[in-house]
């Protein structure tokens, strides 16, 4: 993430202190009780997710200043998954300890971890979020939005009463912090009796001054970071250590377990026919993203379409998006989705009956219900590759339907052994799976600047 983000940012000579030394303290030093706890997070909580930071010894800006080559990302940005700290914060919010999260990161991992949007301020934006410039509706994508700097993305609002132009939400250096993010962040910092800063050097203004609002109101500030920060003297406690280790110790003291992360992706399969007459019928199969036919499917590498009742026919291999296949005559087809780098399983297969689709009824099982059901199954069996339909609708002005599916593409479990985080990533399942259905279950807009 920080690799592409740093390249997209406009040039800036003064980046503050970089290449800062890392310090270490014991991981069990933090034990506290709080009635209004706020977390303030930076790039340091995402380094364990394979995303480089900016100011550390091997940070992006450190290497840029030294004229050294930038580090290679461990996996595609869109496949980065929440780490131990992200999931721990999600658990603290779920049980009621954590009231609000303020993040300077643009990786979207807090949302993926399960932090509710209304309890999250993403001060500098989200690389996977677009917003309508007319009605303000937000769209969370499974692909990285192409631009930064609050620019138009070329897509439009799907609300039929709006149709406004969509913009990215990631700030460039001189962009003002959005009131929708900064206002609730300020409110919760003033209410907080404890603000914990996690993995941030606290150098980017005005964001870095938010935690001090709690101190001025009588609250306490705790900083957990590998480098010293300009705010250390204001803190009641400063811990130099890996954030994951410290937070693991906190959850252990609270007798809480770190929940697993289950990645669920969505895909749309459309099947349309040129005619209801079987002799003249041609059919078109399209595999696309749920955000539109032209929206990329970054987790899919290729699609294979085979014909189980016609072994004499060759398997059609689709490698270019949008995945499209046109054929004549009626067959039973099998669609194999081959996943790309960073997924926990290699593929899943879906079978489709081929008719004019007249007998196929529309349905809608509810997105949240389907996703929760799949997550439960993935955790229960410790595997990914589970599939379930979400909804089916008729294609307007066409003979055919589209069906949206949800697929568990990754599963990550975090365990703590002697307070040392251990990531257990499932290898998943690669064989053919049946489709699993819910029917089987019941004011102020300051600009970003470096702290002087």
């Amino acid at each position: 993430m920080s690799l592409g983000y740093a390249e997209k940012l406009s040039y800036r000579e003064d980046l503050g202190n970089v290449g800062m030394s890392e310090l270490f303290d014991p991981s069990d030093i933090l034990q506290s009780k709080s009635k209004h706890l706020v977390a303030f997070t930076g790039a340091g909580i995402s380094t364990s997710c394979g995303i480089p930071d900016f100011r550390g010894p091997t940070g992006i800006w450190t290497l840029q200043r030294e004229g050294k080559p930038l580090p290679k990302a461990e996996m595609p940005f869109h496949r980065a998954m929440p780490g131990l700290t992200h999931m721990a914060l999600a658990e603290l919010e779920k049980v009621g300890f954590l009231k609000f999260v303020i993040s300077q990161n643009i990786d979207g991992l807090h949302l993926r971890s399960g932090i509710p949007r209304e309890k999250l301020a993403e001060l500098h934006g989200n690389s996977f979020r677009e917003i309508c410039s007319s009605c303000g509706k937000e769209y969370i994508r499974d692909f990285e939005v192409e631009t930064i700097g609050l620019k138009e993305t070329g897509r439009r609002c799907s609300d039929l009463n709006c149709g406004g132009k969509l913009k990215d939400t990631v700030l460039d250096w001189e962009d003002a912090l959005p009131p929708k993010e900064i206002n609730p962040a300020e409110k919760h910092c003033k209410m907080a009796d404890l603000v914990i800063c996690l993995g941030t050097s606290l150098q980017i203004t005005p964001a870095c001054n938010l935690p001090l609002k709690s101190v001025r109101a009588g609250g306490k500030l705790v900083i957990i970071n590998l480098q010293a920060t300009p705010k250390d003297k204001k803190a009641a406690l400063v811990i130099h250590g890996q954030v994951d280790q410290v937070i693991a110790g906190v959850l252990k003291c609270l007798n809480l377990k770190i929940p697993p992360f289950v990645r669920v992706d969505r895909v749309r399969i459309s099947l349309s026919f040129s005619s209801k007459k079987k002799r003249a019928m041609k059919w078109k199969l399209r595999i696309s993203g749920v955000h539109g036919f032209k929206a990329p499917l970054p987790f899919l590498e290729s699609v294979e379409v085979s014909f189980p009742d016609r072994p004499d026919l060759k398997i059609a291999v689709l490698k270019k998006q949008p995945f499209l296949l046109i054929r004549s005559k009626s067959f039973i087809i099998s669609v194999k989705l081959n996943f790309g780098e960073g997924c926990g399983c290699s593929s899943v297969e879906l079978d489709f009956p081929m008719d004019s689709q007249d007998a196929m009824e529309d349905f809608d099982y509810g997105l949240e219900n389907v996703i929760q059901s799949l997550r439960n199954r993935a955790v229960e069996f410790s595997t990914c590759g589970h599939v379930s339909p979400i909804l089916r609708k008729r294609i307007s002005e066409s003979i055919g339907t589209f069906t949206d599916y949800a697929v568990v593409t990754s599963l990550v479990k975090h365990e703590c052994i002697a307070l040392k985080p251990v990531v257990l990533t499932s290898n998943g399942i690669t064989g053919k799976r049946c489709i699993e259905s819910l029917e089987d279950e019941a004011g102020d807009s300051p600009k970003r600047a470096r702290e002087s």
Side-chain angles (χ1 to χ4, degrees), residues 51-108:
I51 301 174
D53 64 7
F54 292 97
R55 302 177 188 275
T58 57
I60 301 299
W61 292 339
T62 302
L63 296 178
Q64 283 182 338
R65 176 167 291 183
E66 295 175 352
K68 296 180 180 179
L70 299 182
K72 294 182 179 180
E74 295 181 11
M75 67 172 63
F77 181 34
H78 62 85
R79 293 308 303 178
M81 290 176 280
L84 184 149
T85 297
H86 296 96
M87 299 310 299
L89 292 177
E91 180 67 11
L92 289 172
E93 184 281 324
K94 182 179 178 181
V95 300
F97 287 154
L98 180 62
K99 305 303 181 185
F100 200 76
V101 176
I102 304 168
S103 181
Q104 301 169 96
N105 299 339
I106 63 166
D107 51 33

Side-chain angles (χ1 to χ4, degrees), residues 370-425:
V370 170
I371 289 178
Q372 188 57 53
S373 175
L374 289 176
R375 284 174 174 164
N376 292 341
R377 292 171 183 169
V379 173
E380 179 183 356
F381 297 104
S382 294
T383 56
C384 51
H386 302 270
V387 187
S388 178
I390 304 169
L391 60 85
R392 176 182 294 137
K393 290 185 179 180
R394 293 186 179 276
I395 301 175
S396 59
E397 301 179 359
S398 176
I399 305 171
T401 62
F402 71 80
T403 307
D404 289 351
Y405 292 89
V407 187
V408 176
T409 55
S410 294
L411 170 64
V412 177
K413 293 184 177 181
H414 300 277
E415 300 290 345
C416 294
I417 302 175
L419 296 184
K420 292 185 178 180
V422 177
V423 179
L424 305 177
T425 305

Side-chain angles (χ1 to χ4, degrees), residues 31 66 147 235 326 344:
Q31 295 186 41
E66 295 175 352
T147 61
I326 300 176

